Amino acid sequence: MLPWKRALRPLTALLLAAAVATVPAATAHASSVPSTGWNDYSCRPSAAHPRPVILVHGTLGNSVDNWLSLAPYLEDRGYCVFSLDYGQLSGVPVFYGLGPIDKSAEQLSAYVDKVLSATGAAKADLVGHSQGGMMPRYYLRFLGGAAKVNALVGLAPDNHGATLSGLTNLLPYFPGASDLIKATTPGLADQIPGSAFLTKLNAGGDTVPGVHYTVISTKYDEVATPWQSQYLSGSDVHNVLLQDLCSLDLSEHVAIGLFDRIAFHEVANALDPAHATATSCASAFS
């Protein structure tokens, strides 16, 4: 092996380790773990909540472990809740969201069609964490998703890339590193700021007409950094910083999607704005 290729291995390992650090320990369980009631295809949306909610996991997450708190939270409030696995690499179990993101968006497209067919709903709402809050934008823009989706809610979405607190800025110092990451984990490469995928995604504006966008961020994010890069621009966008709602909220990139009920309350507001209530520190107990 050439010396420079040996030098790339530690950097690649560091990037992967940083990404793995964003996944809870619960991810050690396979996604066959019972989903405690969601993904019930006999569920029919109510008049109060007429659209199914589809949860889109983040990088290295899966359809169960990313949603062990939020899915029941939404179920308890009367929603039909569904979640999918996407971005699987051959021979890599449990840890998903690593495949090319445009192909992951195609998987999301097929899954939305499946849920709409099962529930009889005309449109769905999407809630995604990290990559799961960004990837659906490709579906909306390029795969006809805008006609089938009412709202996209992103929890710490890396809409303009994930620098891992500046770690990706080291890549130019290791010739060939970007190519190696793209060859082995294209889903990670697509999230590096300036990638061809992100350039295409964000060319011509952040949003598409007809979809309501909400971005929920935390200033303690260590992955999709700087956290301001998560925000979207557009006429139908609501950008939210958790610490503006509760200055005591210390959630970072993982916690905001896994168990932060203050963030969950704001998700519920985005899904049903007509009945929204003020989000505060007290929302942690609601």
Side-chain angles (χ1 to χ4, degrees):
M1 181 181 293
L2 295 176
W4 69 268
K5 287 189 176 180
R6 285 198 297 269
L8 289 178
R9 285 189 177 275
L11 178 62
T12 303
L14 187 58
L15 285 168
L16 287 172
V20 170
T22 71
V23 182
T27 307
H29 301 291
S31 61
S32 60
V33 173
S35 57
T36 64
W38 75 92
N39 285 332
D40 176 4
Y41 288 91
S42 67
C43 187
R44 295 294 177 267
S46 65
H49 301 304
R51 293 174 300 275
V53 177
I54 297 175
L55 305 177
V56 190
H57 66 74
T59 305
L60 294 170
N62 61 54
S63 61
V64 173
D65 294 332
N66 211 143
W67 307 120
L68 290 171
S69 295
L70 181 56
Y73 181 95
L74 294 175
E75 276 192 298
D76 289 346
R77 284 152 180 78
Y79 289 93
C80 292
V81 182
F82 301 85
S83 61
L84 77 156
D85 289 318
Y86 69 86
Q88 300 92 329
L89 291 181
S90 178
V92 181
V94 182
F95 300 105
Y96 301 141
L98 294 172
I101 298 182
D102 57 347
K103 300 303 181 183
S104 294
E106 292 176 5
Q107 295 175 355
L108 174 62
S109 177
Y111 190 78
V112 171
D113 288 347
K114 177 181 177 180
V115 169
L116 293 182
S117 177
T119 61
K123 289 188 175 184
D125 289 324
L126 307 180
V127 179
H129 181 208
S130 192
Q131 181 190 161
M134 173 271 289
M135 175 270 281
R137 294 178 49 227
Y138 189 95
Y139 163 59
L140 299 177
R141 181 178 292 276
F142 298 110
L143 302 178
K148 303 174 184 179
V149 172
N150 169 72
L152 170 61
V153 184
L155 291 160
D158 55 341
N159 282 314
H160 299 94
T163 68
L164 300 175
S165 296
L167 186 60
T168 59
N169 296 332
L170 299 176
L171 289 172
Y173 297 99
F174 295 85
S178 294
D179 291 338
L180 179 61
I181 294 170
K182 186 172 183 63
T184 56
T185 52
L188 293 182
D190 284 344
Q191 295 176 78
I192 296 174
S195 70
F197 174 82
L198 287 173
T199 299
K200 178 179 179 180
L201 176 65
N202 292 312
D206 291 342
T207 63
V208 296
V211 179
H212 309 294
Y213 295 83
T214 299
V215 174
I216 305 171
S217 303
T218 170
K219 69 180 182 181
Y220 300 113
D221 202 300
E222 73 281 30
V223 176
T225 51
W227 63 263
Q228 294 90 339
S229 68
Q230 300 171 20
Y231 281 3
L232 296 173
S233 298
S235 60
D236 198 350
V237 173
H238 182 45
N239 293 313
V240 181
L241 181 64
L242 276 183
Q243 286 71 34
D244 287 342
L245 305 176
C246 175
S247 62
L248 301 177
D249 194 320
L250 301 179
S251 290
E252 40 65 72
H253 188 79
V254 176
I256 192 174
L258 264 62
F259 52 76
D260 189 329
R261 292 177 69 91
I262 297 172
F264 294 175
H265 187 271
E266 199 62 14
V267 169
N269 281 345
L271 295 175
D272 188 7
H275 299 95
T277 57
T279 300
S280 67
C281 295
S283 301
F285 308 100
S286 64

